[in-house]
């Protein structure tokens, strides 16, 4: 099953996340099938491709709770 989830980047104490499409059996920072956006929790800045996210959900991808909260808080 495919999941839309966060991939952690950045340095220690300075996280930066990419929102990716990945197989659910892969590890958190594994190779992504597709990168859909990014999220910076320190500045609350993010950029998401909502069209691609909706397209992948229709094809059967699951969204993690954290990514769902990011989408909900910024695109209401």
């Amino acid at each position: 099953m495919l999941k839309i989830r966060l991939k952690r980047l950045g340095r220690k104490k300075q996280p930066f996340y990419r929102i990716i499409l990945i197989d659910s059996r892969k590890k958190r920072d594994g190779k992504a099938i597709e990168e859909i956006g990014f999220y910076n929790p320190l500045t609350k800045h993010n950029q998401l491709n909502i069209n691609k996210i909706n397209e992948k959900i229709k094809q059967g991808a699951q969204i993690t709770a954290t990514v769902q909260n990011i989408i909900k808080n910024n695109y209401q």
Side-chain angles (χ1 to χ4, degrees):
M1 171 185 1
L2 294 178
K3 285 209 170 208
I4 298 172
R5 65 183 184 198
L6 297 176
K7 176 180 183 176
R8 189 181 195 280
L9 301 168
R11 299 191 311 230
K12 182 168 64 169
K13 308 283 187 187
Q14 294 183 342
F16 182 83
Y17 297 96
R18 286 198 182 139
I19 298 169
I20 60 170
L21 179 70
I22 193 169
D23 187 0
S24 63
R25 295 171 288 187
K26 301 283 185 183
K27 55 187 176 179
R28 177 191 71 185
D29 296 335
K31 184 171 170 63
I33 296 171
E34 187 174 2
E35 292 181 2
I36 301 174
F38 66 85
Y39 172 63
N40 187 345
L42 300 176
T43 62
K44 304 291 188 221
H45 182 257
N46 63 22
Q47 180 179 353
L48 302 170
N49 189 337
I50 295 296
N51 294 331
K52 273 194 180 178
I53 290 174
N54 289 332
E55 177 185 324
K56 296 299 179 182
I57 291 170
K58 287 178 185 173
Q59 293 175 359
Q62 299 286 315
I63 295 184
T64 60
T66 307
V67 174
Q68 196 169 21
N69 287 336
I70 292 169
I71 293 169
K72 184 177 126 185
N73 290 338
N74 294 301
Y75 296 97
Q76 289 183 344

